[in-house]
Amino acid sequence: MANTYKTVMVEVSTTGSNVVVFSAPSGGCIVRNVMIYAKGASTTSVLYDDRTTNVAINKATLATDEMWEPFSAPLGMLSANTISVNTSAALNVLITYVEFS
């Protein structure tokens, strides 16, 4: 079976809390790209949880209707690792990843 490219879009409206937007599938994956679209002006942090630490990867102050790509390189994720966002305003998160088979 071949590896599969997949895309998921998550709408985040909870503010001031870490919200899980992606959880790696059981076999692991490589997150190729994360794009964030700010619906309103916000301060947004992206966090990676490898089940031992929850590390902030990047943080930005975004204007309304601004697009942001918080990763500069693909991110290898093992089973059950997660990506979360913490934001002060609603946003959309588009994640493209390769799932291992």
Side-chain angles (χ1 to χ4, degrees), residues 3-93:
N3 295 334
T4 306
Y5 279 85
K6 296 187 176 184
T7 301
V8 63
M9 202 279 289
V10 179
E11 185 173 350
V12 178
S13 58
T14 303
T15 60
S17 298
N18 293 347
V19 177
V20 174
V21 293
F22 183 77
S23 184
S26 61
C29 69
I30 296 175
V31 174
R32 300 286 300 162
N33 192 26
V34 174
M35 294 182 70
I36 295 177
Y37 168 74
K39 293 180 178 183
S42 69
T43 300
T44 302
S45 297
V46 176
L47 302 97
Y48 172 67
D49 185 353
D50 65 359
R51 297 297 178 211
T52 58
T53 59
N54 197 17
V55 178
I57 293 175
N58 210 340
K59 182 177 183 176
T61 300
L62 305 173
T64 300
D65 296 328
E66 184 175 357
M67 298 284 289
W68 176 49
E69 293 184 64
F71 295 101
S72 58
L75 176 65
M77 296 181 66
L78 301 176
S79 177
N81 291 0
T82 61
I83 296 174
S84 302
V85 295
N86 187 317
T87 185
S88 61
L91 49 83
N92 289 330
V93 182

